Amino acid sequence: MEVRYRVRPTDPLEHRGRFSVELEGLSTSTVDLVLPSWVPGSYVIRNYSRGFRDFSARTVPEGKPLPVETVEKARWRVGTGGAARVRIDYTVYGHNLITEAFDLTEDHMFLNAALCLPYVDGELSSPVTVTLEIPPDWTVVTELEQVGAQPPQFRATNYDELVDSPIDAGHPIVLTVRPGGIPHRISLCGKGGNYEARALERDIGRIVEAAVAMVGESPLQRYTFFFHLTDARDGGLEHLSSASCVFERNIFRPDESYRRFLSLPAHEYLHLYNVKRIRPKVLWPFDYTHERYTRLLWWMEGTTDYLAYLLLRRAGLLTPAQFLDQRAGVVKQYLDTPGRNRISLEESSIITWVDHYQLFEESPNQSVSYYLKGDLVSMCLDLEIRHRSEARASLLDVLKLLWREHGRTGVGVEEDELLPTAERATGVDLGSFFERYVRGTEEVDFAAHARYAGLALGPKAKRPDERDRPEPGDLGVVVEEADGLARVRTSLAGRAGFAAGLTPGDEIVAINREKVTYAKLEKTLEGYPAGTPVELTVFRRGFLERVPLVTGTRPPAAYAFTPIDGAPELARKVYESWLGVPWSPPSGSA
Ligand SMILES: [Zn+2]
């Protein structure tokens, strides 16, 4: 069957586009159109169909009207009346510029097929074309193969490829770099933005080169980074030969913010290897209507995160000190998560469908992100391999072997294949490591793994100007502002507030009968250092309550990795192989 989509951004002020699907080669009395409920790379059921309206169908070319019925939340059934060729028209509302989106404004359209182009049930492998009836001065950027110019028409060999190839149309600024001779486009959309084009080209080029060096080869003919500059939080979604990223438009300065920016394209670019081509076998073929369960997402996301920072170090975009500082920041975030040992990496991969994308008040107490823990466990695994192989092997050898056996061949990774592959790649027995930190929930011993690289991990020394500042007592709650008051969002397990029964939703109105506001809370707590008995007054479900509590000690504000004086030769070798610089003695700035 041939499936031909037409897209007309006719009502941009209403953010509504008109779509049609023409089907040729029908032989059944009914045909179902189905919209995905999730997209690969974003493992949560999202119900994209809410903006669909105005369905109609007719025969082609006669134009005889046909019945269309909504039979499920994202399934529309068309009675063909025996016709071999039919056309279905509908409209879609799209006004949400996130990483997977259908977004339509006056001068821009971003289209992820899963949100606006339903597939024909049973025909996921049929070839499709998409014709864009857009204003003549609009530019189209997509990795789909272009097969027509006026109006622009694109082709995908099947629906999976269509979903994995977003289309951007409007007036993007397109920069092109050619690391290793392979064209990489950076398509910038959105108003404003404090980026510097030359720096962007240079640094994206470095990211690409470092990624290819890590794996050893590139499978690409070309690639596109879609950068949408807006006022939203950063986010990215990987595709087969592109990545769509959303950034707060002024993320490009100052330097620290720019480094945070770089970590996203580095992560998404590594996905072209890890998850897009080295992929869990059970995900395929895709079922766009239901959850697909794999225990490997921690490797697909967490390891990709770790490798992205290692890549930035390799590319010279992070100094060794910046790299170690970034690592210490991730350790801090992890150690501050009370639920870090209540769930294994494999289990968090499975339950991501109800966990990672739908965090709620109790999440920090019962869960930990497989990005966060997966990143740190991957770092420790890397150090473990480097140490035990006497710096002859590393996690990159695991990546390379996965690439050769799975990425290059298209053979999916079995659920239990990671450990044996890692052992074959490195010659190191890693069974106990996986048992403890991947399948199990043992506390990760960062200090021991840091020592493998001649580094000590500990609380970061305070700067002289910080030393005299009073250390406020700790309530151990995450608060948010609510009508000027501090409202408890989460009461962190094991901390002072939790022990005293402070509960999500409590609005803290006074400490020792003195009024506190959200803005004043921190300052007020300076008067009650750790160990001070206090009485909190809170509104709990609208009723005034008194909560006696003893203030706690805050966890360290920051951690640091510092070189160990007299580190053994092997540790120095591991440090050098890991960071790619000569061992720097403790007096130096590591
Ligand atoms: Zn990712």
Side-chain angles (χ1 to χ4, degrees), residues 50-350:
R50 65 182 183 180
F52 276 62
R53 287 296 180 271
D54 312 321
F55 271 86
S56 68
R58 54 191 150 106
T59 61
V60 179
E62 303 85 358
K64 195 182 132 212
L66 295 170
V68 192
E69 192 189 350
T70 304
V71 292
E72 287 177 10
K73 63 183 181 180
R75 178 182 289 266
W76 300 273
R77 185 159 298 156
V78 180
T80 64
R85 199 170 154 197
V86 305
R87 169 175 161 155
I88 302 111
D89 285 83
Y90 58 94
T91 69
V92 182
Y93 175 86
H95 187 220
N96 194 9
L97 193 51
I98 55 168
T99 53
E100 77 272 29
F102 167 57
D103 187 63
L104 176 60
T105 60
E106 263 181 303
D107 53 2
H108 178 237
M109 179 173 71
F110 182 62
L111 186 159
N112 188 311
L115 282 87
C116 53
L117 305 178
Y119 61 87
V120 180
D121 198 14
E123 297 287 338
L124 280 172
S125 54
S126 294
V128 302
T129 60
V130 181
T131 305
L132 303 177
E133 294 180 7
I134 51 174
D137 65 328
W138 280 23
T139 303
V140 182
V141 183
T142 178
E143 284 301 330
L144 288 170
E145 179 199 356
Q146 185 155 7
V147 290
Q150 292 291 344
Q153 189 179 57
F154 301 89
R155 186 179 183 281
T157 49
N158 53 44
Y159 190 78
D160 291 345
E161 188 192 336
L162 181 68
V163 165
D164 225 350
S165 311
I167 300 170
D168 204 80
H171 307 283
I173 292 167
V174 182
L175 312 172
T176 304
V177 291
R178 296 172 194 281
I182 301 167
H184 285 65
R185 290 181 293 186
I186 305 162
S187 174
L188 291 142
C189 281
K191 298 187 172 75
N194 62 354
Y195 63 90
E196 210 240 289
R198 293 287 87 78
L200 208 51
E201 288 174 341
R202 180 195 63 216
D203 296 340
I204 292 293
R206 285 186 186 172
I207 285 173
V208 171
E209 280 166 4
V212 175
M214 273 170 131
V215 182
E217 63 185 33
S218 173
L220 297 175
Q221 308 297 315
R222 55 177 204 175
Y223 188 91
T224 300
F225 290 97
F226 295 99
F227 289 168
H228 290 115
L229 308 183
T230 176
D231 58 356
R233 219 168 64 98
D234 316 340
L237 184 66
E238 66 278 8
H239 297 290
L240 202 55
S241 301
S242 61
S244 52
C245 303
V246 170
F247 297 106
E248 196 287 314
R249 57 172 54 82
N250 292 320
I251 194 173
F252 304 90
R253 276 201 298 273
D255 284 354
E256 197 183 337
S257 179
Y258 184 64
R259 288 196 292 273
R260 191 162 54 81
F261 153 75
L262 289 172
S263 67
L264 190 56
H267 176 105
E268 301 305 340
Y269 195 75
L270 282 169
H271 269 321
L272 83 86
Y273 298 100
N274 205 30
V275 91
K276 279 297 156 192
R277 290 171 178 81
I278 300 167
R279 55 196 200 181
K281 191 177 176 192
V282 300
L283 287 182
W284 265 262
F286 278 126
D287 178 345
Y288 292 102
T289 59
H290 291 98
E291 296 86 346
R292 276 282 167 138
Y293 296 105
T294 169
R295 283 182 268 124
L296 296 172
L297 287 182
W298 73 271
W299 174 273
M300 298 299 153
E301 292 300 346
T303 308
T304 299
D305 241 5
Y306 166 64
L307 293 174
Y309 289 102
L310 193 63
L311 181 157
L312 294 179
R313 166 78 281 277
R314 296 288 159 103
L317 295 167
L318 289 180
T319 65
Q322 287 164 347
F323 173 77
L324 291 176
D325 210 41
Q326 194 280 335
R327 298 286 80 205
V330 182
V331 168
K332 152 90 181 151
Q333 207 188 332
Y334 178 77
L335 292 178
D336 284 355
T337 305
R340 64 186 181 278
N341 297 323
R342 287 184 80 176
I343 185 167
S344 72
L345 281 174
E346 291 197 338
E347 190 183 0
S348 72
S349 299
I350 294 284

Side-chain angles (χ1 to χ4, degrees), residues 448-516:
H449 286 89
R451 277 196 299 276
Y452 289 154
L455 298 167
L457 172 68
K460 192 175 188 172
K462 287 185 176 178
R463 295 193 314 262
D465 62 306
E466 292 168 335
R467 276 180 212 142
D468 298 333
R469 220 177 280 166
E471 185 75 37
D474 182 47
L475 296 182
V477 291
V478 181
V479 292
E480 59 200 358
E481 187 170 1
D483 297 331
L485 296 177
R487 183 169 61 200
V488 175
R489 191 167 68 214
T490 291
S491 189
L492 296 165
R495 306 269 285 271
F498 190 84
L502 272 185
T503 284
D506 283 356
E507 293 166 330
I508 303 170
V509 293
I511 298 182
N512 283 354
R513 298 170 66 194
E514 185 189 348
K515 179 178 174 179
V516 283

Side-chain angles (χ1 to χ4, degrees), residues 4 10 14 23 144 175 200 309 324 346 359 399 403 405 410 417 443:
R4 292 192 286 263
T10 44
E14 294 171 26
L23 309 174
L144 288 170
L175 312 172
L200 208 51
Y309 289 102
L324 291 176
E346 291 197 338
L359 300 179
L399 180 69
W403 171 252
E405 295 186 347
E417 211 173 347
E443 180 80 281

